[in-house]
Amino acid sequence: MLLSTILILVLGLATLIVGGEVLVKGASKLALRFNVSSLVVGLTVVAFGTSAPELLVSLNSALKGAPDFALGNVIGSNISNLALVLGTAALFGFIPIKKDSARRDWPVTLGSSVLLYIFAYNGMISNLEGTILVILLVIYLGSLLYTTRKEQIKLDVEEPDKLEKWGIVKDIFQVSLGIVCLYFGADWFIGGAEEIAVDLGVSQRVIGLTVLALGTSLPELFTSVIAARKGETDLALGNLLGSNIFNVLSIIGITSIIKPLSVNMDMLHTDFPWMIGITILILPLMVFRKRLGTPSGIILIGSYLVYVFFLLK
C-alpha cells in the first residue's frame, strides 16, 4: 500500500516537473512570436512558469483543505533552497557573490519572509494580504525590468524558429500539455502526500515541509549542482534568492487571494523563524567572503540537517 502511494507521489512529481518545463518552453516561444521582448519574457513568463509546479501544489492543497501542505511547501522550499541547494552547490564549486544579490535580492528575500511572518501572526493569511503580496511582486518585477534594461543584461531565453511551418500550433500544444501535466501532477503529488501522512501517522506540516518542499526543490538542486560542476555558478545565488521571493510573493499571494490560508501555530513559531534565520545567515557569508565555497557549503548543509532533526524530533 505504502509502495503504491510512493509511486503515485513520484509520478506526480515527475509530471509536475515535465509540465513546468513544457509550459515554459511553449509560453516563452509563443510570447516571442508576438514580439514581446526576450527581457520581459525572461522576467515574467519564464519566472512564473518555473514556479508553476509550486503554485499548483499550494493552490491544490488550499482548495482541498490542506493549508499545512500549501504553506509547508513554500516555507520548506525556501529553507531547502538557501540551505540544502545552495550549500550543495557550494560544495561542488565556488559561487561568486554578485553585488545585485547582496544589495537588492537579499533584502527583498528577507523583507518578503518577514512580511509573510507578520501577515501569518494572527493565524490567517487573508485575501487582502495576498493582494498586497502580489502588488509587491509586480513592483519587484518592474524594478528588475528597469535594472536589466538599464544595464543591458541579456537573459537566456530560447528563441522560436520563425521558419517552422507549424510553430504557433506547436507552441499552443506545448502550453496546453504543460497545463494538463501541472494539473494532474499536482493532484497526484498531493494525493500521494496525504496518503503517506495517514499511513505513517505523520502530520501534514511535516510532510509539507519535507516531502513536498524537497520534491518541488529538486529541479533547482539538480540545476545548481550541474552548474557548479561545470563552473557556471554566476547566477546560482541570485536565482535561488529570486526563487524564494517568487515563492512568497506569487505562490502564497495568489493562493491566498483565491482561498485564505489558515496558519498552523507550530509552523508560525518554529518554521517561519528558521526560514528567516537561514536567510539572515546568508548575509555574513556574502559580506565576509567574495565567494561561497566548501566552508560555506558545510555551514549551510549543517543548518539544514539541524532543522530537519528538530522537525522530525
Side-chain angles (χ1 to χ4, degrees):
M1 180 67 179
L2 184 59
L3 181 61
S4 63
T5 303
I6 292 173
L7 287 174
I8 291 172
L9 184 84
V10 172
L11 177 62
L13 176 60
T15 308
L16 273 172
I17 293 171
V18 170
E21 287 286 324
V22 172
L23 178 66
V24 167
K25 285 184 179 179
S28 57
K29 285 184 179 180
L30 198 59
L32 290 169
R33 288 185 195 280
F34 287 97
N35 296 320
V36 178
S37 76
S38 60
L39 188 59
V40 174
V41 171
L43 292 174
T44 56
V45 177
V46 174
F48 275 106
T50 50
S51 294
E54 288 95 331
L55 175 59
L56 264 290
V57 167
S58 292
L59 191 54
N60 196 311
S61 301
L63 294 175
K64 284 187 171 184
D68 283 3
F69 279 164
L71 274 173
N73 174 38
V74 168
I75 295 168
S77 187
N78 279 14
I79 292 171
S80 64
N81 275 350
L82 292 186
L84 179 64
V85 177
L86 185 60
T88 304
L91 288 181
F92 280 92
F94 290 113
I95 299 173
I97 305 300
K98 296 285 187 179
K99 288 182 180 179
D100 286 345
S101 296
R103 291 179 181 174
R104 182 193 62 210
D105 299 328
W106 183 85
V108 176
T109 303
L110 180 63
S112 59
S113 299
V114 171
L115 182 62
L116 181 63
Y117 179 71
I118 293 170
F119 284 168
Y121 201 76
N122 64 351
M124 179 71 67
I125 300 174
S126 66
N127 304 111
L128 175 61
E129 289 164 340
T131 303
I132 292 171
L133 293 176
V134 172
I135 290 171
L136 290 174
L137 174 67
V138 173
I139 294 171
Y140 173 69
L141 286 176
S143 71
L144 274 184
L145 185 61
Y146 173 77
T147 303
T148 48
R149 181 171 286 165
K150 181 182 176 182
E151 297 178 3
Q152 297 182 325
I153 297 172
K154 292 190 183 241
L155 299 181
D156 185 17
V157 178
E158 189 176 348
E159 296 283 343
D161 184 355
K162 302 287 186 183
L163 300 177
E164 192 176 3
K165 185 177 180 182
W166 299 100
I168 292 181
V169 175
K170 181 182 174 183
D171 295 341
I172 293 173
F173 173 75
Q174 282 188 315
V175 171
S176 304
L177 179 63
I179 291 171
V180 170
C181 286
L182 286 169
Y183 175 81
F184 285 104
D187 194 49
W188 296 335
F189 195 46
I190 294 300
E194 284 181 320
E195 287 191 34
I196 288 174
V198 171
D199 290 345
L200 298 180
V202 180
S203 70
Q204 288 187 356
R205 167 181 166 251
V206 171
I207 294 294
L209 288 162
T210 54
V211 176
L212 297 191
L214 283 172
T216 52
S217 291
L218 278 179
E220 287 96 336
L221 178 60
F222 291 144
T223 302
S224 297
V225 169
I226 291 169
R229 286 179 67 91
K230 291 181 177 178
E232 300 169 355
T233 56
D234 285 3
L235 297 175
L237 180 58
N239 283 350
L240 289 171
L241 289 172
S243 177
N244 282 20
I245 294 166
F246 256 81
N247 282 348
V248 171
L249 299 183
S250 70
I251 295 171
I252 296 298
I254 293 169
T255 301
S256 56
I257 287 174
I258 296 172
K259 185 176 176 63
L261 290 171
S262 61
V263 181
N264 184 319
M265 288 296 107
D266 287 336
M267 198 177 292
L268 181 71
H269 297 310
T270 305
D271 307 306
F272 273 84
W274 268 96
M275 175 178 67
I276 294 169
I278 287 178
T279 305
I280 293 172
L281 175 64
I282 297 292
L283 183 62
L285 296 179
M286 291 193 298
V287 171
F288 296 114
R289 293 180 176 272
K290 293 183 178 179
R291 58 185 186 178
L292 301 181
T294 303
S296 300
I298 292 172
I299 291 170
L300 292 172
I301 292 175
S303 301
Y304 185 75
L305 293 176
V306 170
Y307 166 69
V308 172
F309 173 78
F310 282 109
L311 178 64
L312 298 179
K313 185 180 178 182

